[in-house]
Amino acid sequence: MRLQKWRLTGGQLTSEPEPGPEREPETDPEPGDEFSRVLDRVLLGGGPSSSLRPVRVTSAVDEVTDRLLTATAVGDFLPGERLPAERELTALLHVSRPTVREAVARLQALGVVEIRRGRNGGAFVRDSWTESTAAAVRRTLLPRWTEFEQLFDLRGLVEGMVAATAARRRRPEDLEPMREALAAHLSASTPREEQAADSAFHQAICAATHNPQIARLSRDLLTRISLGFPVEPWGKGERSHHERAGHGHTALYEAVAAGAPERAQEIAREHFMISAEMIREVLARVRGRSGTEETLD
């Protein structure tokens, strides 16, 4: 039996309200300039952000579910690929393990993932699109679209700087990992192989700057545009995107190898617009439109 608590207020005896269930505190986005916040977080040693904004506690399971559905729609996680482990998702999205567990269970019920048991088990993506995907994409992207467009612009500027710095500082031994990753990308036979080779190539470019803080900044921006996951969006693995990426990688490698920073910067800024176009295409699809040239409010 719980005893009612009372207190004396203004000469009257009143009861205190029963304490509600404990809730994790919400964290509002920090004010200030976006670029400054990213730089401060990197230079002060903070971890990569969870993208967009911290998950709202009042509907944490709903938002994590929506974010995972959107991540599969834009190709962060491709069919046949395993989602990050529960512990990793908890750290990336700053939510509790029960929240992640419930969100993954919802994806399983929707048919987006299948759960495999055993040492190499986990939640594996079955399909990138279901009847629930369009609504999830709209809820995740539309309210924050202005921020996304700002991040696309910021990322192009930063990755241009990364490429120019790599062209100025690269050493002969830095070029071999780039060549290997480029060859792997051009010979890839599946979207998953393409995505892995793409990541290796850009990691090699970052390494050639010989400044780990630059690499952290690049990863942070990737995480922010990829819904909290440090994975390059890959759409549905369209061959046109793969061919454009291959041409971009080849030109970027040649510019870095030649020590041409201005050329490397120009190529990189254009190259990183491919990811932005993929995300725009997904949003256009759920709005019942086609193409990437529309203005999204």
Side-chain angles (χ1 to χ4, degrees):
M1 178 177 180
R2 179 173 295 177
L3 297 177
Q4 179 69 48
K5 294 183 180 180
W6 300 84
R7 63 182 175 184
L8 188 64
T9 305
Q12 294 184 345
L13 196 63
T14 60
S15 63
E16 294 184 2
E18 288 290 336
E22 292 186 2
R23 294 166 56 187
E24 302 174 31
E26 293 190 23
T27 306
D28 293 328
E30 299 177 8
D33 178 75
E34 182 65 38
F35 188 64
S36 297
R37 294 206 306 271
V38 173
L39 283 178
D40 288 344
R41 191 161 50 246
V42 172
L43 295 177
L44 294 176
S49 80
S50 63
S51 177
L52 309 179
R53 61 186 67 175
V55 170
R56 295 181 62 83
V57 177
T58 52
S59 58
V61 174
D62 292 338
E63 186 158 345
V64 170
T65 302
D66 282 353
R67 202 177 288 191
L68 287 170
L69 283 169
T70 306
T72 59
V74 301
D76 289 348
F77 306 113
L78 298 165
E81 188 174 358
R82 183 173 63 179
L83 294 181
E86 185 178 286
R87 180 178 298 179
E88 186 178 354
L89 286 173
T90 297
L92 286 169
L93 301 178
H94 305 293
V95 294
S96 66
R97 295 185 76 166
T99 294
V100 169
R101 196 172 299 126
E102 174 62 22
V104 172
R106 290 188 184 183
L107 263 63
Q108 182 185 20
L110 292 170
V112 176
V113 301
E114 64 175 334
I115 306 300
R116 301 178 191 171
R117 306 299 177 185
R119 184 174 181 180
N120 297 318
F124 288 80
V125 178
R126 294 182 58 190
D127 197 353
S128 61
W129 202 276
T130 70
E131 293 181 0
S132 301
T133 299
V137 170
R138 284 193 292 267
R139 287 190 295 264
T140 301
L141 298 184
L142 277 175
R144 297 126 172 173
W145 191 253
T146 297
E147 180 183 352
F148 267 101
E149 287 289 0
Q150 292 168 352
L151 289 170
F152 296 152
D153 179 51
L154 175 60
R155 193 181 187 213
L157 294 170
V158 169
E159 293 298 347
M161 175 271 292
V162 172
T165 304
R168 292 188 181 97
R169 298 180 181 177
R170 60 107 184 97
R171 301 167 185 168
E173 60 269 24
D174 293 327
L175 298 178
E176 182 58 28
M178 294 181 208
R179 285 194 295 267
E180 292 178 356
L182 176 59
H185 184 268
L186 295 177
S187 63
S189 58
T190 68
R192 291 173 62 191
E193 290 178 357
E194 295 163 9
Q195 191 179 45
D198 175 86
S199 176
F201 180 79
H202 290 295
Q203 287 177 18
I205 295 289
C206 284
T209 68
H210 298 281
N211 185 336
Q213 299 298 335
I214 291 178
R216 291 180 66 179
L217 177 57
S218 175
R219 177 184 170 90
D220 185 89
L221 286 172
L222 170 59
T223 299
R224 290 180 66 80
I225 72 161
S226 299
L227 308 162
F229 312 106
V231 183
E232 197 73 47
W234 212 250
K236 295 178 293 184
E238 296 91 336
R239 296 308 301 172
S240 59
H241 289 154
H242 170 62
E243 291 173 3
R244 283 184 61 194
H247 291 317
H249 286 175
T250 301
L252 184 54
Y253 168 76
E254 292 173 350
V256 171
E262 291 80 10
R263 177 62 178 155
Q265 181 175 17
E266 178 185 352
I267 294 168
R269 288 185 62 175
E270 180 179 354
H271 176 72
F272 279 94
M273 288 301 103
I274 298 175
S275 296
E277 290 173 12
M278 289 180 181
I279 297 175
R280 290 191 186 104
E281 286 171 1
V282 170
L283 187 55
R285 175 179 178 181
V286 304
R287 299 182 78 181
R289 300 172 185 163
S290 61
T292 61
E293 299 299 322
E294 65 175 324
T295 301
L296 300 170
D297 300 323

CSV table of all heavy atoms in Angstrom, one decimal, residues 38 42 47-49 88 92 155 158-159 162 199 203 206 212-226 228-231:
chain,number,residue,atom,x,y,z
A,38,VAL,N,30.0,21.5,-35.8
A,38,VAL,CA,30.7,20.3,-36.3
A,38,VAL,C,32.2,20.4,-36.0
A,38,VAL,O,32.8,19.5,-35.4
A,38,VAL,CB,30.5,20.1,-37.8
A,38,VAL,CG1,31.3,18.9,-38.3
A,38,VAL,CG2,29.0,19.8,-38.1
A,42,VAL,N,34.5,18.0,-33.4
A,42,VAL,CA,35.6,17.2,-33.8
A,42,VAL,C,36.9,17.7,-33.0
A,42,VAL,O,37.6,16.9,-32.5
A,42,VAL,CB,35.8,17.4,-35.3
A,42,VAL,CG1,37.1,16.7,-35.7
A,42,VAL,CG2,34.7,16.7,-36.0
A,47,GLY,N,32.3,12.6,-30.0
A,47,GLY,CA,32.0,11.5,-31.0
A,47,GLY,C,31.1,12.1,-32.1
A,47,GLY,O,30.6,13.1,-32.0
A,48,PRO,N,31.0,11.3,-33.2
A,48,PRO,CA,30.1,11.7,-34.3
A,48,PRO,C,28.7,11.8,-33.8
A,48,PRO,O,28.2,11.1,-33.0
A,48,PRO,CB,30.3,10.6,-35.3
A,48,PRO,CG,30.8,9.4,-34.5
A,48,PRO,CD,31.6,10.0,-33.4
A,49,SER,N,28.0,12.8,-34.4
A,49,SER,CA,26.6,13.0,-34.0
A,49,SER,C,25.7,11.9,-34.6
A,49,SER,O,26.1,11.2,-35.5
A,49,SER,CB,26.1,14.4,-34.6
A,49,SER,OG,25.8,14.2,-35.9
A,88,GLU,N,25.7,-1.4,-31.0
A,88,GLU,CA,26.2,-0.3,-31.9
A,88,GLU,C,25.1,0.7,-32.2
A,88,GLU,O,25.3,1.9,-32.2
A,88,GLU,CB,26.8,-0.8,-33.2
A,88,GLU,CG,27.5,0.2,-34.1
A,88,GLU,CD,28.1,-0.4,-35.3
A,88,GLU,OE1,28.1,-1.6,-35.4
A,88,GLU,OE2,28.6,0.4,-36.2
A,92,LEU,N,25.0,4.7,-31.6
A,92,LEU,CA,24.9,5.6,-32.7
A,92,LEU,C,23.7,6.6,-32.5
A,92,LEU,O,23.7,7.7,-32.8
A,92,LEU,CB,24.7,4.8,-34.0
A,92,LEU,CG,26.0,4.2,-34.6
A,92,LEU,CD1,25.6,3.3,-35.7
A,92,LEU,CD2,27.0,5.2,-35.0
A,155,ARG,N,28.9,19.5,-46.8
A,155,ARG,CA,29.7,18.4,-47.1
A,155,ARG,C,30.5,18.6,-48.4
A,155,ARG,O,31.7,18.2,-48.5
A,155,ARG,CB,28.8,17.1,-47.2
A,155,ARG,CG,29.7,15.9,-47.2
A,155,ARG,CD,28.8,14.6,-47.3
A,155,ARG,NE,29.7,13.4,-47.1
A,155,ARG,CZ,29.5,12.3,-47.8
A,155,ARG,NH1,28.5,12.1,-48.6
A,155,ARG,NH2,30.3,11.3,-47.5
A,158,VAL,N,33.5,20.7,-47.5
A,158,VAL,CA,34.4,20.1,-46.7
A,158,VAL,C,35.2,19.0,-47.5
A,158,VAL,O,36.4,18.9,-47.4
A,158,VAL,CB,33.8,19.5,-45.4
A,158,VAL,CG1,34.7,18.5,-44.7
A,158,VAL,CG2,33.3,20.6,-44.5
A,159,GLU,N,34.4,18.2,-48.3
A,159,GLU,CA,35.1,17.1,-49.0
A,159,GLU,C,36.0,17.7,-50.1
A,159,GLU,O,37.0,17.1,-50.5
A,159,GLU,CB,34.1,16.1,-49.6
A,159,GLU,CG,33.3,15.3,-48.5
A,159,GLU,CD,34.2,14.4,-47.7
A,159,GLU,OE1,35.4,14.2,-48.1
A,159,GLU,OE2,33.7,13.9,-46.7
A,162,VAL,N,39.1,18.4,-48.3
A,162,VAL,CA,39.8,17.1,-48.0
A,162,VAL,C,40.6,16.7,-49.2
A,162,VAL,O,41.8,16.3,-49.1
A,162,VAL,CB,38.8,16.0,-47.6
A,162,VAL,CG1,39.5,14.7,-47.5
A,162,VAL,CG2,38.1,16.3,-46.2
A,199,SER,N,33.7,3.2,-49.8
A,199,SER,CA,34.1,3.6,-48.5
A,199,SER,C,35.7,3.5,-48.4
A,199,SER,O,36.3,4.4,-47.8
A,199,SER,CB,33.5,2.7,-47.5
A,199,SER,OG,33.9,3.0,-46.2
A,203,GLN,N,38.3,6.7,-47.6
A,203,GLN,CA,39.1,6.6,-46.4
A,203,GLN,C,40.6,6.8,-46.8
A,203,GLN,O,41.3,7.4,-46.0
A,203,GLN,CB,38.9,5.2,-45.7
A,203,GLN,CG,37.6,5.1,-45.0
A,203,GLN,CD,37.4,3.7,-44.4
A,203,GLN,OE1,38.3,2.9,-44.2
A,203,GLN,NE2,36.1,3.4,-44.1
A,206,CYS,N,41.2,10.4,-47.3
A,206,CYS,CA,41.3,11.1,-46.0
A,206,CYS,C,42.6,10.8,-45.3
A,206,CYS,O,43.3,11.7,-44.8
A,206,CYS,CB,40.2,10.6,-45.0
A,206,CYS,SG,38.6,11.4,-45.4
A,212,PRO,N,44.3,13.2,-38.8
A,212,PRO,CA,43.1,12.4,-38.3
A,212,PRO,C,41.9,13.3,-38.0
A,212,PRO,O,40.8,12.8,-38.1
A,212,PRO,CB,43.6,11.7,-37.0
A,212,PRO,CG,45.1,11.7,-37.2
A,212,PRO,CD,45.5,13.0,-37.9
A,213,GLN,N,42.1,14.5,-37.7
A,213,GLN,CA,40.9,15.4,-37.4
A,213,GLN,C,40.1,15.6,-38.6
A,213,GLN,O,38.9,15.8,-38.6
A,213,GLN,CB,41.4,16.7,-36.8
A,213,GLN,CG,42.1,16.6,-35.4
A,213,GLN,CD,41.3,15.9,-34.3
A,213,GLN,OE1,40.1,16.0,-34.4
A,213,GLN,NE2,41.9,15.3,-33.4
A,214,ILE,N,40.8,15.7,-39.8
A,214,ILE,CA,40.1,15.9,-41.0
A,214,ILE,C,39.2,14.7,-41.3
A,214,ILE,O,38.1,14.8,-41.8
A,214,ILE,CB,41.1,16.2,-42.2
A,214,ILE,CG1,41.7,17.6,-42.0
A,214,ILE,CG2,40.4,16.1,-43.5
A,214,ILE,CD1,42.8,17.9,-43.0
A,215,ALA,N,39.8,13.5,-41.1
A,215,ALA,CA,39.1,12.3,-41.3
A,215,ALA,C,37.9,12.2,-40.4
A,215,ALA,O,36.8,11.7,-40.8
A,215,ALA,CB,40.0,11.1,-41.1
A,216,ARG,N,38.0,12.6,-39.2
A,216,ARG,CA,36.9,12.6,-38.2
A,216,ARG,C,35.8,13.6,-38.7
A,216,ARG,O,34.6,13.3,-38.6
A,216,ARG,CB,37.3,13.0,-36.8
A,216,ARG,CG,38.2,11.9,-36.2
A,216,ARG,CD,38.7,12.4,-34.8
A,216,ARG,NE,37.5,12.4,-33.9
A,216,ARG,CZ,37.6,12.8,-32.6
A,216,ARG,NH1,38.8,13.1,-32.1
A,216,ARG,NH2,36.6,12.8,-31.8
A,217,LEU,N,36.2,14.7,-39.2
A,217,LEU,CA,35.2,15.7,-39.7
A,217,LEU,C,34.4,15.1,-40.9
A,217,LEU,O,33.2,15.2,-41.0
A,217,LEU,CB,35.9,17.0,-40.1
A,217,LEU,CG,35.0,18.1,-40.7
A,217,LEU,CD1,33.9,18.5,-39.8
A,217,LEU,CD2,35.8,19.3,-41.0
A,218,SER,N,35.1,14.5,-41.8
A,218,SER,CA,34.5,13.8,-42.9
A,218,SER,C,33.5,12.8,-42.5
A,218,SER,O,32.4,12.7,-43.0
A,218,SER,CB,35.6,13.2,-43.8
A,218,SER,OG,35.0,12.5,-44.9
A,219,ARG,N,33.9,12.0,-41.5
A,219,ARG,CA,33.0,10.9,-41.0
A,219,ARG,C,31.8,11.5,-40.3
A,219,ARG,O,30.7,11.0,-40.5
A,219,ARG,CB,33.8,10.0,-40.1
A,219,ARG,CG,32.9,8.9,-39.4
A,219,ARG,CD,33.8,8.1,-38.4
A,219,ARG,NE,33.0,7.2,-37.6
A,219,ARG,CZ,32.7,6.0,-37.9
A,219,ARG,NH1,33.2,5.4,-39.0
A,219,ARG,NH2,32.0,5.2,-37.1
A,220,ASP,N,32.0,12.6,-39.6
A,220,ASP,CA,30.9,13.2,-38.9
A,220,ASP,C,29.8,13.7,-39.9
A,220,ASP,O,28.6,13.5,-39.7
A,220,ASP,CB,31.4,14.3,-38.0
A,220,ASP,CG,30.3,14.9,-37.2
A,220,ASP,OD1,30.1,14.4,-36.0
A,220,ASP,OD2,29.6,15.9,-37.6
A,221,LEU,N,30.2,14.3,-40.9
A,221,LEU,CA,29.3,14.8,-41.9
A,221,LEU,C,28.6,13.7,-42.6
A,221,LEU,O,27.4,13.8,-42.9
A,221,LEU,CB,30.0,15.8,-42.9
A,221,LEU,CG,30.4,17.1,-42.4
A,221,LEU,CD1,31.2,17.9,-43.4
A,221,LEU,CD2,29.1,17.9,-42.0
A,222,LEU,N,29.3,12.6,-42.9
A,222,LEU,CA,28.7,11.5,-43.5
A,222,LEU,C,27.6,10.9,-42.6
A,222,LEU,O,26.5,10.6,-43.0
A,222,LEU,CB,29.7,10.4,-43.8
A,222,LEU,CG,29.2,9.0,-44.2
A,222,LEU,CD1,28.3,9.1,-45.5
A,222,LEU,CD2,30.3,8.0,-44.4
A,223,THR,N,27.9,10.9,-41.3
A,223,THR,CA,26.9,10.4,-40.3
A,223,THR,C,25.7,11.2,-40.3
A,223,THR,O,24.6,10.7,-40.2
A,223,THR,CB,27.6,10.3,-38.9
A,223,THR,OG1,28.7,9.4,-39.0
A,223,THR,CG2,26.6,9.8,-37.9
A,224,ARG,N,25.9,12.5,-40.4
A,224,ARG,CA,24.7,13.4,-40.3
A,224,ARG,C,23.8,13.3,-41.5
A,224,ARG,O,22.6,13.4,-41.3
A,224,ARG,CB,25.2,14.9,-40.2
A,224,ARG,CG,25.9,15.1,-38.8
A,224,ARG,CD,26.4,16.6,-38.7
A,224,ARG,NE,25.2,17.5,-38.7
A,224,ARG,CZ,24.5,17.8,-37.6
A,224,ARG,NH1,24.7,17.2,-36.5
A,224,ARG,NH2,23.5,18.7,-37.7
A,225,ILE,N,24.3,13.1,-42.7
A,225,ILE,CA,23.4,13.0,-43.8
A,225,ILE,C,22.9,11.6,-44.0
A,225,ILE,O,21.9,11.4,-44.8
A,225,ILE,CB,24.1,13.4,-45.2
A,225,ILE,CG1,25.1,12.4,-45.6
A,225,ILE,CG2,24.7,14.8,-45.1
A,225,ILE,CD1,25.5,12.5,-47.1
A,226,SER,N,23.4,10.6,-43.3
A,226,SER,CA,23.0,9.2,-43.4
A,226,SER,C,22.2,8.8,-42.2
A,226,SER,O,22.3,7.6,-41.8
A,226,SER,CB,24.3,8.3,-43.6
A,226,SER,OG,25.0,8.7,-44.8
A,228,GLY,N,22.4,9.1,-39.0
A,228,GLY,CA,23.0,8.6,-37.8
A,228,GLY,C,24.0,7.5,-38.1
A,228,GLY,O,24.6,7.0,-37.1
A,229,PHE,N,24.1,7.0,-39.3
A,229,PHE,CA,24.9,5.8,-39.6
A,229,PHE,C,26.0,6.2,-40.5
A,229,PHE,O,25.8,6.8,-41.6
A,229,PHE,CB,24.1,4.7,-40.3
A,229,PHE,CG,22.8,4.5,-39.6
A,229,PHE,CD1,21.6,4.9,-40.1
A,229,PHE,CD2,22.7,3.8,-38.4
A,229,PHE,CE1,20.4,4.7,-39.5
A,229,PHE,CE2,21.5,3.6,-37.7
A,229,PHE,CZ,20.3,4.0,-38.3
A,230,PRO,N,27.3,6.0,-40.1
A,230,PRO,CA,28.4,6.4,-41.0
A,230,PRO,C,28.6,5.5,-42.2
A,230,PRO,O,29.6,4.9,-42.4
A,230,PRO,CB,29.6,6.2,-40.0
A,230,PRO,CG,29.2,5.1,-39.1
A,230,PRO,CD,27.7,5.3,-38.9
A,231,VAL,N,27.6,5.5,-43.0
A,231,VAL,CA,27.5,4.7,-44.3
A,231,VAL,C,27.0,5.6,-45.4
A,231,VAL,O,26.0,6.3,-45.3
A,231,VAL,CB,26.6,3.5,-44.1
A,231,VAL,CG1,26.7,2.6,-45.3
A,231,VAL,CG2,26.9,2.7,-42.9
